[in-house]
């Protein structure tokens, strides 16, 4: 007593169309007692783009056949009129004619609906492509505009810092032609001695000029002050000797922080080999050099400062019999107690003696 029929339902749903890029700014937390240390950093991230669509879902349903009612279609419908056989034959003949005509109309309508459905799908696909392309172009151009602004600001900052460093360099060493002609290497002891001699020469010149202009008693006072300055300069020179040079020839290279097992220099005892980091004993400007001999295959490492600054070393070569050596420099102003270490994020380094992976640094001047 059950008859089947098809039921159609229009459903609205959301579908992912593509992914777009956007800029995220983040900043590292400050160390305890470190004022104005936060630096804003920018990175790109992806987020999905969604689109609202509609679909027609068909399902097979069941109902009581004509002449039956009730919950289980077991009861006869008292309002159902049964047609006699003669009437049925006449009506069947008439109904067959109408059925053939209706069938032809339904077939034609079905074909029209099929063509219209295909046309609608083509139109929707073109609309989706145009929407996605428009989103893609907008999402590509917008981050580029932001990146250009960020790069312009960073370039202006770097230019300003470079001018400040050049000014400090000229104040420290005078003419750069004389420094090149003297063939002086960046050795901490030599630099400190040269700075001390320069300070003493300037002090002696000032003392001579003051001696000519002022009376004898004042000259004695100035000589006393000069002796105090000389003693302070010697103490400053002894206290400012901060430099280290370490190498990695054997040990564990699977840990994130690489612990250098060979120590060549460690003035000031500021490098801690058991922990693998350098700790700044004074607030000042430091220069660091890291040279990593990576094993064959892709590798990634970085010089990491505790305030969040990173200096990356990477090797994207395929696996070869020999490794690849990468070197980078970093100059940074550090607070007292701030740490710096070398982190191995991917791959491994070559273990050999003498070591091919080394790290060094020294204090240029206090601030």
């Amino acid at each position: 007593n059950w008859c089947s029929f098809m039921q159609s339902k229009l459903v609205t749903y959301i579908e992912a169309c593509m992914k777009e890029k956007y800029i995220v700014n983040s900043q590292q937390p400050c160390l305890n007692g470190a004022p104005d240390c936060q630096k804003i950093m920018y990175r790109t991230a992806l987020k999905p783009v969604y689109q609202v669509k509609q679909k027609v879902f068909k399902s097979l349903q069941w109902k009581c056949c004509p002449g039956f009612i009730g919950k289980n279609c077991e009861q006869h419908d008292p309002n159902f009129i049964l047609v006699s056989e003669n009437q049925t034959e006449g009506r069947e003949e008439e109904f067959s004619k109408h059925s053939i005509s209706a069938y032809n109309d339904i077939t034609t309508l079905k074909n029209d609906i099929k063509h219209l459905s295909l046309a609608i799908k083509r139109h929707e696909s073109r609309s989706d492509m145009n929407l996605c392309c428009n989103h893609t172009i907008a999402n590509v151009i917008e981050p580029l505009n932001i990146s250009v602004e960020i790069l312009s600001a960073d370039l202006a900052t770097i230019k300003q810092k470079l001018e400040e460093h050049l000014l400090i360099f000229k104040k420290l060493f005078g003419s750069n032609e004389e420094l090149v002609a003297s063939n002086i290497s960046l050795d901490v002891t030599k630099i400190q001695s040269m700075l001390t001699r320069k300070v003493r020469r300037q002090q002696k010149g000032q003392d001579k000029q003051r001696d000519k202009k002022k009376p004898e008693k004042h000259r004695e006072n100035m000589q006393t002050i000069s002796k105090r300055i000389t003693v302070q300069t010697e103490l400053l020179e002894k206290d400012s000797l901060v430099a280290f040079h370490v190498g990695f020839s054997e040990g564990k290279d699977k840990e994130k922080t690489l612990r250098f097992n060979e120590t060549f220099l460690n003035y000031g005892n500021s490098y801690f080999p058991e922990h693998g980091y350098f700790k700044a004993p004074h607030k000042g400007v430091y220069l660091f050099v890291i040279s990593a001999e990576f094993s064959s295959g892709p590798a990634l490492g970085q010089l990491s400062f505790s305030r969040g600054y990173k200096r990356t070393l990477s090797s994207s070569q395929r696996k070869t019999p020999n490794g690849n050596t990468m070197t980078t420099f970093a100059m940074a102003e550090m607070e007292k107690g701030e740490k710096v270490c070398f982190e191995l994020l991917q791959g491994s380094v070559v273990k050999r003696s003498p070591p091919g992976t080394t790290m060094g640094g020294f204090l240029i001047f206090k601030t």
Side-chain angles (χ1 to χ4, degrees):
N1 299 335
W2 292 91
C3 293
S4 63
F5 69 98
M6 297 299 296
Q7 185 179 24
S8 300
K9 184 179 181 181
L10 183 64
V11 178
T12 302
Y13 68 100
I14 298 175
E15 184 178 60
C17 172
M18 58 169 291
K19 290 184 179 181
E20 66 177 4
K21 292 183 178 181
Y22 67 102
I23 302 297
V24 180
N25 61 338
S26 60
Q27 54 189 9
Q28 298 291 336
C30 287
L31 296 175
N32 294 331
D36 300 330
C37 74
Q38 291 190 355
K39 295 182 179 179
I40 298 177
M41 304 177 67
Y42 297 89
R43 60 182 179 88
T44 58
L46 296 175
K47 63 180 180 181
V49 178
Y50 296 95
Q51 186 181 19
V52 179
K53 290 187 176 182
Q54 290 182 334
K55 278 187 179 180
V56 176
F57 289 93
K58 294 183 178 181
S59 60
L60 182 64
Q61 301 290 332
W62 295 87
K63 65 180 180 180
C64 294
C65 292
F68 296 94
I69 59 174
K71 185 176 181 181
N72 297 320
C73 299
E74 295 177 349
Q75 302 175 8
H76 290 277
D77 188 1
N79 298 323
F80 179 73
I81 301 174
L82 183 64
V83 182
S84 65
E85 186 176 355
N86 294 331
Q87 293 178 344
T88 303
E89 292 179 356
R91 291 185 180 181
E92 284 180 354
E93 183 179 357
E94 184 180 356
F95 179 74
S96 63
K97 293 180 182 179
H98 288 290
S99 296
I100 294 171
S101 177
Y103 176 77
N104 294 331
D105 293 339
I106 290 172
T107 303
T108 304
L109 182 61
K110 184 178 180 181
N111 293 330
D112 293 341
I113 292 173
K114 183 177 181 181
H115 290 301
L116 287 173
S117 299
L118 293 174
I120 290 172
K121 287 182 179 180
R122 287 197 297 270
H123 180 71
E124 286 182 350
S125 62
R126 291 176 182 173
S127 300
D128 294 343
M129 289 177 63
N130 293 333
L131 180 61
C132 290
C133 291
N134 292 335
H135 277 293
T136 303
I137 295 172
N139 294 328
V140 169
I141 293 177
E142 184 177 359
L144 287 177
N145 292 333
I146 298 175
S147 301
V148 169
E149 294 177 359
I150 295 171
L151 289 174
S152 300
D154 293 342
L155 185 60
T157 304
I158 293 172
K159 185 178 180 182
Q160 181 181 358
K161 295 293 184 181
L162 180 60
E163 292 176 354
E164 294 176 357
H165 283 301
L166 288 175
L167 181 61
I168 295 173
F169 186 84
K170 289 181 180 179
K171 288 182 179 180
L172 290 174
F173 302 106
S175 175
N176 58 341
E177 290 83 2
E178 295 179 0
L179 183 62
V180 173
S182 62
N183 194 22
I184 297 175
S185 62
L186 284 177
D187 184 38
V188 178
T189 307
K190 292 182 179 179
I191 292 176
Q192 294 290 347
S193 300
M194 184 173 62
L195 292 174
T196 303
R197 288 196 299 270
K198 187 170 183 178
V199 171
R200 289 176 179 174
R201 285 197 301 268
Q202 291 178 352
Q203 190 61 45
K204 288 181 181 179
Q206 293 176 0
D207 291 342
K208 289 181 181 179
Q209 293 179 357
R210 291 172 183 172
D211 290 343
K212 294 179 181 179
K213 295 180 180 180
K214 295 187 178 180
E216 195 70 24
K217 291 183 180 180
H218 190 67
R219 184 182 303 173
E220 294 177 358
N221 294 333
M222 292 303 297
Q223 289 178 352
T224 304
I225 295 174
S226 176
K227 291 180 181 179
R228 292 178 181 176
I229 293 176
T230 303
V231 172
Q232 292 176 357
T233 303
E234 292 176 352
L235 291 174
L236 178 62
E237 177 185 3
K238 186 179 297 184
D239 188 42
S240 300
L241 288 177
V242 179
F244 74 100
H245 183 206
V246 293
F248 180 81
S249 60
E250 61 180 7
K252 297 181 180 179
D253 60 350
K254 300 302 181 183
E255 298 178 354
K256 185 177 181 181
T257 300
L258 192 66
R259 300 182 184 182
F260 295 86
N261 61 302
E262 293 192 18
T263 303
F264 306 110
L265 290 176
N266 197 7
Y267 287 104
N269 296 321
S270 298
Y271 180 78
F272 299 88
E274 65 275 12
H275 302 295
Y277 60 75
F278 170 81
K279 185 177 181 181
H282 309 289
K283 180 182 178 182
V285 178
Y286 293 81
L287 178 66
F288 298 96
V289 182
I290 178 70
S291 179
E293 185 178 3
F294 293 115
S295 302
S296 61
L300 179 65
Q302 64 182 7
L303 196 63
S304 177
F305 292 79
S306 56
R307 68 168 56 188
Y309 175 70
K310 311 288 184 184
R311 186 70 173 178
T312 306
L313 276 173
S314 63
S315 175
S316 59
Q317 66 170 0
R318 297 179 179 176
K319 289 189 176 182
T320 58
N322 301 321
N324 188 20
T325 300
M326 307 296 293
T327 304
T328 188
F329 299 81
M331 179 183 291
E333 183 177 6
M334 300 178 65
E335 298 288 339
K336 182 179 180 181
E338 188 176 351
K339 300 174 184 177
V340 59
C341 65
F342 179 67
E343 297 177 347
L344 187 61
L345 305 179
Q346 182 184 3
S348 59
V349 294
V350 177
K351 299 177 183 179
R352 64 180 177 86
S353 183
T357 300
T358 59
M359 178 179 173
F362 60 88
L363 171 66
I364 299 178
F365 57 86
K366 294 182 179 179
T367 55

